[in-house]
Amino acid sequence: MKTRKDPIMNRLHSALLAAGVVLAGLSAPAFAQGEAAPSAAEAGISPAPIEGAAPGSAPESAKGAEAAVGGASEHGGEHATPHYPLKKPAYVDWSFAGPFGHWDLGQLQRGLKVYKEVCSTCHSMNLVSFRNLEALGYSEDQVRALAAEYQITDPAPNAQGESFQRPGIPSDRLPSPYPNPEAAAAALGGAHPPDLSLIAKARAVERGFPNFVFDIFTQYAEAGPDYIHALLTGYGEPVPENVTVQPGTYYNPHFISGPALAMPAPLSEGAVSYDDGAPTTVEQYSRDVTAFLMWTAEPHLVERKATGFVVMIFLIGFAIMLYLVKNRVWASTPH
């Protein structure tokens, strides 16, 4: 059966086609004689900021970012946007990985020491209290002594209405080395260091298809620790000729937001001494502090995995029981 078209819609469709032809004819002569199209600067359009530019870098860092891929992209373009990180992190064998993962308390204690002596000079950890460190194997007295090493600004003023500092107590949170983010940025050349409390869950490199499908079965959740470990150990590589590193930044191909970042290499050989005889290398420091940051981001990781394993066993047993009951109930009923 034929359908009757709406004459109003037909006329509207014809009018739109005619308007498109007229506009195309008006705009085509502008470049018909070989004229070059006006650039964004000539047209008065300011370029949009590049996502992931290195902290504190100048707008010219966009040129270095484009050059970071050798002037070519997966589509064959000459000035295509690069994909960061330039090098994806390698997979590290963590003790807390997998459905039966567990915390290595010795490693976590070493990671806390690396954080105290290296990372805490710039980065805060505002969501971790001193009393939480008892989960790392420290006694209550040890935690109390550790908290007393810090001077904490009491949130409540004294009788004269003035703020004052006092030794820390277990209920206090690990203090920031700067009074506020603005002071931190001013002291570090305009780059505000992020808080490290949840950094292991907040930073990760996408694995893409089909890896994220396999992760459902392998319980892979270590993308954040793998990235942090790669970033901490990725300094010192030679800068390629086609990469421009802005002054005040440091080349690191594992950085997720650009070819360089404002943080210099924080770890060096022998910077932190270990009491348990562990190697004092950058690789060991990186593994220890990364494991500690994963614990601060998800301290109940091991308990969650243990609970999930018990739940899965229960669901499998419950499904088998339902199947057997169904067969028993309907055994005498003809199908």
Side-chain angles (χ1 to χ4, degrees):
M1 182 178 65
K2 296 183 179 180
T3 58
R4 185 174 62 85
K5 296 183 178 179
D6 190 349
I8 298 178
M9 294 300 298
N10 289 337
R11 289 196 296 271
L12 179 60
H13 180 67
S14 301
L16 291 175
L17 289 177
V21 172
V22 172
L23 291 176
L26 291 176
S27 60
F31 312 108
Q33 304 300 326
E35 287 187 8
S39 63
E42 294 172 351
I45 303 176
S46 58
I50 294 181
E51 182 180 0
S57 60
E60 291 296 323
S61 62
K63 298 180 181 179
E66 292 180 353
V69 291
S73 72
E74 57 185 0
H75 302 292
E78 186 176 353
H79 298 290
T81 302
H83 297 281
Y84 298 114
L86 301 179
K87 291 185 179 180
K88 288 194 174 182
Y91 302 135
V92 181
D93 184 19
W94 303 103
S95 65
F96 50 83
F100 305 103
H102 64 280
W103 297 118
D104 184 347
L105 295 184
Q107 184 180 49
L108 297 183
Q109 292 181 4
R110 294 193 303 267
L112 171 62
K113 189 171 186 180
V114 174
Y115 168 77
K116 284 178 51 185
E117 299 185 14
V118 179
C119 307
S120 64
T121 58
C122 296
H123 295 273
S124 61
M125 193 168 282
N126 296 325
L127 301 181
V128 180
S129 299
F130 289 104
R131 60 188 174 190
N132 298 140
L133 301 179
E134 292 185 19
L136 304 187
Y138 294 106
S139 65
E140 183 178 352
D141 293 337
Q142 289 176 317
V143 170
R144 191 177 300 277
L146 175 63
E149 296 177 5
Y150 294 83
Q151 288 295 315
I152 306 296
T153 301
D154 198 285
N158 57 17
Q160 288 74 34
E162 300 173 346
S163 299
F164 65 98
Q165 288 192 329
R166 55 167 175 77
I169 57 177
S171 60
D172 291 325
R173 295 182 176 181
L174 274 68
S176 171
Y178 300 98
N180 51 65
E182 291 73 18
L188 299 174
H192 173 227
D195 184 85
L196 298 184
S197 303
L198 304 176
I199 198 71
K201 303 290 287 186
R203 299 287 190 275
V205 178
E206 294 183 0
R207 286 164 56 79
F209 182 83
N211 290 330
F212 71 84
V213 178
F214 299 147
D215 295 344
I216 299 175
F217 304 96
T218 62
Q219 295 295 300
Y220 175 79
E222 294 77 51
D226 287 345
Y227 168 67
I228 295 174
H229 171 266
L231 181 69
L232 293 176
T233 58
Y235 290 93
E237 297 190 21
V239 182
E241 295 181 357
N242 54 2
V243 174
T244 301
V245 177
Q246 297 299 321
T249 62
Y250 303 87
Y251 175 71
N252 193 320
H254 299 281
F255 186 43
I256 201 172
S257 299
L261 68 164
M263 180 179 71
L267 303 175
S268 59
E269 302 285 337
V272 180
S273 60
Y274 286 152
D275 299 330
D276 58 358
T280 56
T281 61
V282 173
E283 174 68 21
Q284 188 67 44
Y285 293 152
S286 175
R287 285 174 175 265
D288 294 342
V289 73
T290 300
F292 173 70
L293 293 178
M294 185 62 181
W295 174 81
T296 62
E298 194 171 359
H300 303 294
L301 173 67
V302 174
E303 292 83 354
R304 175 177 62 81
K305 289 184 177 182
T307 303
F309 181 75
V310 173
V311 170
M312 292 301 298
I313 294 297
F314 169 77
L315 292 177
I316 293 174
F318 187 65
I320 295 174
M321 182 187 68
L322 288 179
Y323 177 76
L324 297 176
V325 170
K326 176 258 184 188
N327 287 345
R328 181 67 179 269
V329 170
W330 298 95
S332 58
T333 303
H335 296 283

